[in-house]
Amino acid sequence: MPEYYYKVIFDPIGAEKMIALVLPNEKSSQPLQKFVVTVDHVESITGIDFFSGLEDSIENQLEASSDASLWTFTSHKSTYKTESSNEPTSKQCLGVRCKNKTTNANGHCHVHQGQASGAVKKIETKTTHSGRCQATTQKGTQCKRNASSESRYRWQHQ
């Protein structure tokens, strides 16, 4: 796991500006301004030339600057919903061995709706099948024999 990560931003709108941040890969209550560095610094650490497409004089000037006052840093509230909100909360599916989350009232995810009480079950109709057996052999290949007339498998595989 990396100890640090970086972010490099270029804003070409209006007065062109750049900013770079190198942040520790851990929880922090420090303001983002504390982690502002020059783009040149991040390039020296990573070996990446981030804005090679810019004219050299502009690139060199912007990459050498690290003025955090040109940028607006705002914090955002978490978007996670709490139990007291009006939004339905997700819960573990009641399906057999299922790890999906669901907000369905019956407690079953979309995969396990058939296991919910009162669910309408599909009635399978028997179809006749003639052709190659659909079983997989011990070697991992498809069986080469013909299937039974009522099934997709040879009698040995049923």
Side-chain angles (χ1 to χ4, degrees), residues 3 15 25 35-36 42-43 45 61 70 76-77 80 92 115 119 126 134 146 149 153-154:
E3 292 182 38
N25 194 9
F35 305 104
V36 172
V42 177
E43 288 181 341
I45 295 170
Q61 178 189 356
L70 299 174
H76 295 280
K77 299 261 185 208
Y80 293 106
Q92 184 77 37
Q115 293 178 7
K126 280 198 170 187
Q134 300 296 306
N146 287 331
S149 63
Y153 301 97
R154 182 130 176 115

Side-chain angles (χ1 to χ4, degrees), residues 129 131-135 143-158:
H129 175 77
R132 191 169 172 184
C133 177
Q134 300 296 306
C143 179
K144 294 180 180 173
R145 296 191 173 143
N146 287 331
S148 305
S149 63
E150 295 286 322
S151 172
R152 294 185 178 272
Y153 301 97
R154 182 130 176 115
W155 65 269
Q156 291 98 330
H157 302 296
Q158 293 181 3

